[in-house]
Amino acid sequence: MKFIKWFAAILLGALALYATYIGIALYRLPSVKGLADRRLNMTIQVKDWHGKLHPFVVGPHNPWWCRSESIPAEMEWAVIVAEDANFYQHEGIDITAIKNAITYDLEKKRLARGASTITQQTAKNLFLSREKSVTRKIEELYLAKRMEQELTKGRILELYLNIVELGPMVYGIGHGARYYFNKPADLLTPRECAFLAAMLPGPQKVYNPYKQLDRVLKRSDMLLRQMRDRGVLTQAEYRQALAETPDISGMQKKVDQSFSGKVQRLFKGLFGIFK
């Protein structure tokens, strides 16, 4: 009996200490109020595909920045159906999605599905590290709730779409539209919007269009179907989008340049050896 009381006292003490630690951590988090100002410019750190950090400007000073007015509605809805189907219903945290993710993960016996909302992802990308810990997740949830209180849904989407990763040092749909389709974001077709959104779960590995193009196209077909089912696209627009083959010549050019560069470096290395 004494052991149980002793253990319970230690457990309660540890929980109290952790709660205090969490309270201090949340108190020290930056304010999100400034994000409401669309003139705001801030610098965050983003990683390239080699794991190296680079400064990235969030705001109008970024040459690829897209204001919400220049973002096609199809682009917004493509990422909503892809990443956060209940975006307009929740207040930063989607309890239903969390329950579904837990059920799915238990069935698969592994962490196979995430439940982070667009707001949570935006909070993480702007303010937090990529560390996977309980503390960081609590901070993410707290910031997401604060952002929903201080910002409109439109502003959250604008921020998200301008900082989301879409390729090797390709962040934001403004850069993504130029990188893959050589056009500004406001001229993206529904098919192209779905193509970009289809990469979001993992543009570096699982949905890397350089290596998994068929998988990206298949997922974009699914997103177009969901957009039709939600009334974002008419049946005629849906069929037209399915019939469209994304012009990824811009991406293929980069693939060719990358291959050419590797060949040149190989021969340069060989000639260096034999000198």
Side-chain angles (χ1 to χ4, degrees), residues 10-27 134-135 138-139:
I10 291 178
L11 181 60
L12 289 173
L15 289 174
L17 284 174
Y18 184 66
T20 301
Y21 171 76
I22 290 295
I24 294 173
L26 296 181
Y27 177 78
V134 174
T135 301
I138 292 173
E139 291 175 333

Side-chain angles (χ1 to χ4, degrees), residues 1-253:
M1 183 64 71
K2 287 184 178 180
F3 173 77
I4 295 176
K5 290 182 178 179
W6 176 77
F7 179 77
I10 291 178
L11 181 60
L12 289 173
L15 289 174
L17 284 174
Y18 184 66
T20 301
Y21 171 76
I22 290 295
I24 294 173
L26 296 181
Y27 177 78
R28 296 176 63 181
L29 288 173
S31 171
V32 303
K33 287 185 177 181
L35 295 176
D37 185 356
R38 298 177 69 190
R39 298 168 299 178
L40 173 74
N41 289 282
M42 60 185 290
T43 301
I44 63 174
Q45 296 291 314
V46 298
K47 283 186 177 181
D48 61 25
W49 285 8
H50 300 290
K52 185 178 179 181
L53 290 170
H54 301 267
F56 179 82
V57 176
V58 177
H61 288 177
N62 183 328
W64 303 111
W65 189 259
C66 292
R67 293 178 66 88
S68 57
E69 309 91 76
S70 64
I71 299 174
E74 294 86 353
M75 186 70 251
E76 294 180 339
W77 278 104
V79 299
I80 288 173
V81 298
E83 294 291 289
D84 188 359
N86 298 320
F87 176 68
Y88 283 110
Q89 282 73 51
H90 65 66
E91 296 180 354
I93 303 169
D94 190 343
I95 303 299
T96 302
I98 292 174
K99 291 179 179 178
N100 292 339
I102 292 173
T103 301
Y104 186 84
D105 290 346
L106 289 174
E107 290 175 354
K108 296 295 182 179
K109 297 181 180 180
R110 62 188 176 91
L111 296 176
R113 177 182 291 181
S116 292
T117 64
I118 283 175
T119 314
Q120 287 176 243
Q121 293 179 53
T122 305
K124 178 184 67 178
N125 290 338
L126 287 175
F127 299 114
L128 303 174
S129 69
R130 298 300 180 269
E131 172 194 9
K132 292 185 178 181
S133 68
V134 174
T135 301
R136 193 203 61 77
K137 195 65 178 179
I138 292 173
E139 291 175 333
E140 177 187 303
L141 294 171
Y142 175 80
L143 285 170
K145 291 293 290 185
R146 294 291 298 137
M147 287 174 66
E148 289 278 348
Q149 293 168 353
E150 299 289 346
L151 310 178
T152 65
K153 290 286 189 179
R155 176 58 172 164
I156 292 171
L157 264 180
E158 181 183 49
L159 290 166
Y160 174 79
L161 287 168
N162 276 288
I163 60 177
V164 70
E165 182 183 17
L166 292 169
M169 278 308 295
V170 180
Y171 284 86
I173 61 163
H175 193 182
R178 283 292 182 187
Y179 184 84
Y180 292 107
F181 305 115
N182 195 30
K183 63 170 63 174
D186 60 344
L187 295 182
L188 290 170
T189 67
R191 163 61 94 179
E192 292 165 344
C193 291
F195 183 92
L196 293 178
M199 290 187 281
L200 294 184
Q204 184 174 356
K205 295 181 181 180
V206 181
Y207 290 96
N208 181 336
Y210 291 100
K211 300 177 180 179
Q212 305 287 353
L213 181 58
D214 289 343
R215 182 179 291 177
V216 175
L217 290 173
K218 184 177 180 180
R219 188 163 193 262
S220 71
D221 288 347
M222 179 192 70
L223 298 181
L224 287 169
R225 183 171 64 254
Q226 292 177 341
M227 291 164 68
R228 178 205 60 189
D229 293 344
R230 280 180 172 250
V232 178
L233 300 177
T234 64
Q235 182 65 22
E237 290 169 335
Y238 168 66
R239 289 180 177 176
Q240 181 180 352
L242 282 182
E244 178 186 336
T245 301
D247 181 4
I248 54 173
S249 56
M251 184 182 80
Q252 186 59 49
K253 182 179 179 181

